[in-house]
Short mmCIF file of all heavy atoms in Angstrom, two decimals:
data_model
loop_
_atom_site.label_atom_id
_atom_site.label_comp_id
_atom_site.label_asym_id
_atom_site.label_seq_id
_atom_site.Cartn_x
_atom_site.Cartn_y
_atom_site.Cartn_z
N ASN A 70 5.07 -15.94 -10.03
CA ASN A 70 4.61 -14.69 -9.45
C ASN A 70 5.59 -13.55 -9.67
O ASN A 70 5.21 -12.40 -9.87
CB ASN A 70 4.32 -14.86 -7.96
CG ASN A 70 5.51 -15.38 -7.18
OD1 ASN A 70 5.75 -16.58 -7.16
ND2 ASN A 70 6.25 -14.50 -6.54
N ASP A 74 5.02 -9.80 -11.44
CA ASP A 74 5.41 -8.51 -10.85
C ASP A 74 6.33 -7.74 -11.78
O ASP A 74 6.20 -6.51 -11.94
CB ASP A 74 6.10 -8.75 -9.50
CG ASP A 74 5.14 -9.24 -8.43
OD1 ASP A 74 3.92 -9.08 -8.61
OD2 ASP A 74 5.62 -9.80 -7.43
N LYS A 80 6.04 -2.40 -17.49
CA LYS A 80 5.07 -1.54 -18.18
C LYS A 80 5.12 -0.13 -17.62
O LYS A 80 5.00 0.86 -18.35
CB LYS A 80 3.66 -2.13 -18.05
CG LYS A 80 3.40 -3.33 -18.94
CD LYS A 80 1.98 -3.82 -18.79
CE LYS A 80 1.63 -4.87 -19.85
NZ LYS A 80 2.44 -6.08 -19.74
N THR A 137 17.30 -45.27 1.58
CA THR A 137 15.98 -44.76 1.93
C THR A 137 15.27 -44.20 0.71
O THR A 137 15.88 -43.92 -0.33
CB THR A 137 16.09 -43.64 2.98
OG1 THR A 137 16.78 -42.51 2.39
CG2 THR A 137 16.85 -44.12 4.22
N ARG A 177 25.78 -48.34 -8.33
CA ARG A 177 24.98 -47.58 -9.29
C ARG A 177 24.17 -48.53 -10.18
O ARG A 177 23.01 -48.25 -10.50
CB ARG A 177 25.87 -46.67 -10.14
CG ARG A 177 26.58 -45.60 -9.35
CD ARG A 177 27.16 -44.53 -10.27
NE ARG A 177 28.13 -43.69 -9.60
CZ ARG A 177 28.52 -42.50 -10.01
NH1 ARG A 177 28.00 -41.98 -11.11
NH2 ARG A 177 29.42 -41.80 -9.34
N LEU A 209 14.53 -29.92 -29.89
CA LEU A 209 13.71 -29.39 -30.98
C LEU A 209 14.37 -28.19 -31.64
O LEU A 209 14.38 -28.07 -32.87
CB LEU A 209 12.34 -28.98 -30.43
CG LEU A 209 11.24 -30.04 -30.43
CD1 LEU A 209 10.01 -29.51 -29.69
CD2 LEU A 209 10.87 -30.44 -31.85
N HIS A 212 17.00 -28.80 -34.26
CA HIS A 212 16.60 -29.41 -35.52
C HIS A 212 15.36 -28.76 -36.13
O HIS A 212 14.81 -29.27 -37.08
CB HIS A 212 16.33 -30.90 -35.32
CG HIS A 212 17.50 -31.66 -34.77
ND1 HIS A 212 17.66 -31.90 -33.42
CD2 HIS A 212 18.59 -32.19 -35.38
CE1 HIS A 212 18.79 -32.57 -33.22
NE2 HIS A 212 19.38 -32.75 -34.38
N ASP A 229 18.33 -20.27 -8.88
CA ASP A 229 17.41 -21.40 -8.78
C ASP A 229 17.17 -22.09 -10.11
O ASP A 229 16.35 -23.01 -10.20
CB ASP A 229 16.07 -20.95 -8.18
CG ASP A 229 16.17 -20.71 -6.68
OD1 ASP A 229 16.88 -21.49 -6.02
OD2 ASP A 229 15.57 -19.75 -6.18
N LEU A 299 24.59 -17.95 7.45
CA LEU A 299 25.43 -18.57 6.42
C LEU A 299 26.92 -18.29 6.63
O LEU A 299 27.72 -18.51 5.73
CB LEU A 299 25.02 -18.07 5.03
CG LEU A 299 23.60 -18.43 4.58
CD1 LEU A 299 23.28 -17.76 3.25
CD2 LEU A 299 23.44 -19.94 4.45
N CYS A 354 3.64 -9.15 6.62
CA CYS A 354 3.46 -10.44 5.94
C CYS A 354 3.86 -11.57 6.88
O CYS A 354 4.96 -11.55 7.45
CB CYS A 354 4.29 -10.50 4.65
SG CYS A 354 3.97 -11.99 3.68
#
Side-chain angles (χ1 to χ4, degrees):
N70 56 278
D74 290 342
K80 285 182 170 63
T137 65
R177 296 194 196 199
L209 270 173
H212 303 95
D229 285 322
L299 296 175
C354 186

